Amino acid sequence: MTAAYAITGNASSLHASGRQARKLVEEARETIAGALGCRPGEVIFTSGGTESDNLAIKGLFWARRAGDQRRIQVITSSVEHHAVLDPVEWLGTHEGAVVQLIPVDSHGQIDVDALREMVAADPGSVALISVMAANNEVGTVQPLNEVVAIASEHGIPVHCDAVQAAGVLDLNFAIDGIDALTVSSHKVGGPHGVGALVAARGVAIEALLHGGAHERSRSGTLDAPAIAGFAAALIAAVDQREQTVARIEVLRDSLIKGVRHVVPDAVLQGDPVASGRLPGNAHFSFPGCEGDALLMLLDARGIECSTGSACTAGIPEPSHVLLAMGVDPELARGSLRFSLGSTSTQADVDALIEALPAAVDRARRAGRPRIRISSEA
Ligand code: PLP
């Protein structure tokens, strides 16, 4: 990337430095295609996962409905990232889409039979199905093969948000039979603000951004250095995937064991079976704690983790993912996600286990902001 920043040309310009920038972009496109098992022409560069999800969902919906006015159903899972759920809801509010959410079990895995029934009820009205490869909060891996099998019986396109799975799970666009796949650079160790939508040749996607049509279905001058960095990070992650996964799985299991040892009532969320969850994900609910308080207490000890909660009017709301899994809202509010990556070490895990008991104790004593609704005087 440092070398690429010395090239000042615009990849759409015809002069020499423009051609140099174009070369960087096209080499990156080939690298990314090689890493994801697609053709270079199927890679559409975007500003990241959020834009790719929006492009796939709105773009597929508009193109499918233009082909047949009856196609107005959008089916997605109840545990998607907001980058999927919000454009789906937006289509429902502004474009007359009929939204169907696939329920999940207590581990966060979609109910494939429910999906089959939703599709079978009126397959001709389904515009698209969008199901993530793996959940960003609880790490649960979804049965994509089954989703693709159900959709392909009726020629329904499938979009998959693979932001959490790229470089971690064994993804192959062509073999997996997906029509559109979202990937984001910063989740594979690349720069922020760049990503791609991989869209199968022949799949029509209406553009969101209109302008110079720099990319198929996407206008806007490309950030060649960021794209070069994205490609370098993705190929490194894919090439080292097996070694990295084997290493972080050991760390994750040590983290889970350690947390259970020092906070015995902590509840592990997501699939307890190792193969059913992302290798670097451990997600716990701590009864009696406010997740945000615990997060800040751990942050003060140099341990960075996240909650899945959003704030509404200053009050933390439990994560929609945990609620969809049937987790009690009070318990859900005390949840934290610990993510391990290629640079994580056993010393990081040990530091967490050392800091956690005091943090949980303090968070429990601090109590929670509440709004009490009581009929008692
Ligand atoms: N989808 C999932 C599953 C994610 O985890 C994220 C980001 O965390 C996104 C989409 C959004 O990607 P970006 O941050 O590149 O916009």
Side-chain angles (χ1 to χ4, degrees), residues 41-44 55 199-205 213-218:
E42 293 174 322
V43 177
I44 302 169
L55 175 58
R201 215 165 44 176
V203 169
I205 299 193
H214 305 76
E215 292 278 289
R216 169 186 156 208
S217 307
R218 203 265 186 185

Side-chain angles (χ1 to χ4, degrees), residues 326-347:
V327 176
D328 172 68
E330 278 293 298
L331 181 63
R333 282 171 53 182
S335 300
L336 286 184
R337 169 180 49 141
F338 303 102
S339 305
L340 299 155
S342 59
T343 56
S344 305
T345 62
Q346 183 63 44

Side-chain angles (χ1 to χ4, degrees), residues 113-181:
D113 291 331
L115 170 63
R116 197 174 286 112
E117 280 168 29
M118 283 175 185
V119 172
D122 188 7
S125 71
V126 183
L128 71 134
I129 300 173
S130 184
V131 174
M132 68 202 323
N135 187 265
N136 48 302
E137 289 184 35
V138 293
T140 304
V141 176
Q142 299 296 352
L144 273 185
N145 290 346
E146 296 183 59
V147 175
V148 169
I150 294 169
S152 61
E153 256 182 61
H154 305 282
I156 298 167
V158 174
H159 165 249
C160 171
D161 176 337
V163 166
Q164 294 287 333
V168 178
L169 300 181
D170 187 13
L171 284 181
N172 186 306
F173 185 73
I175 295 172
D176 296 343
I178 289 157
D179 299 277
L181 184 94

